[in-house]
Every structure is written in structure tokens, then in C-alpha cells.
Amino acid sequence: RYLGEGRLRIELVDSDRMEATLSGSRGAFRLGRDARRGWWCSCGRGPGCAHVQALMLVTWGETGVPAGPGDRSDRRTAD
């Protein structure tokens, strides 16, 4: 839902970290994943919050394995 509504913006992805901004019903939050903190969110609810869950689903998919270049659900196919 957050991504479809344009409320989740992934801003940085590299080999060490990922950062995003999410506009939720209670304001904007910073969230991501890095080697030091693991999954994190500025909402204060901890890494199990809906914001982190949305980011995990978009970036890792339902399998819990990082999506590769050819594994994106948003890829386009030729008609």
C-alpha cells in the first residue's frame, strides 16, 4: 500500500546499507537497514513496525531473500 500510494521512497541502496523515507499517517519516518543497526525505523516502534515490514517486502520479497536484478515484481514485459 505505501509503495502503491507513493508514500515509500527508497533513497539509497548499496552493498552496506539501505535508506528510505515513508510518509505515514503520523508523519514522515526514516527507515532502512545497515550492518550496525540491522532493520530500523524512526517511528519508535522497533524493527517489527509496519514501515519496516513494507520496506522488507519491497526489497526482500516474501521469501526473505534479497531481490536480484531479474527478480523484481515491478519489471515490465514487452507486449
Side-chain angles (χ1 to χ4, degrees):
R1 178 178 108 196
Y2 292 126
L3 188 64
E5 295 174 0
R7 295 166 43 181
L8 175 62
R9 298 185 64 180
I10 299 170
E11 299 170 350
L12 171 73
V13 177
D14 65 24
S15 62
D16 297 329
R17 63 191 169 135
M18 155 186 342
E19 294 181 8
T21 301
L22 187 136
S23 297
S25 59
R26 299 178 191 232
F29 304 106
R30 299 282 305 148
L31 63 155
R33 184 175 192 279
D34 61 49
R36 183 176 58 86
R37 295 183 280 185
W39 292 100
W40 57 271
C41 182
S42 66
C43 75
R45 293 188 185 128
C49 71
H51 314 125
V52 169
Q53 297 299 315
L55 182 59
M56 289 174 73
L57 185 60
V58 169
T59 58
W60 287 56
E62 294 180 22
T63 64
V65 177
D71 298 333
R72 311 266 329 173
S73 61
D74 61 348
R75 66 181 168 205
R76 307 212 188 274
T77 56
D79 292 344

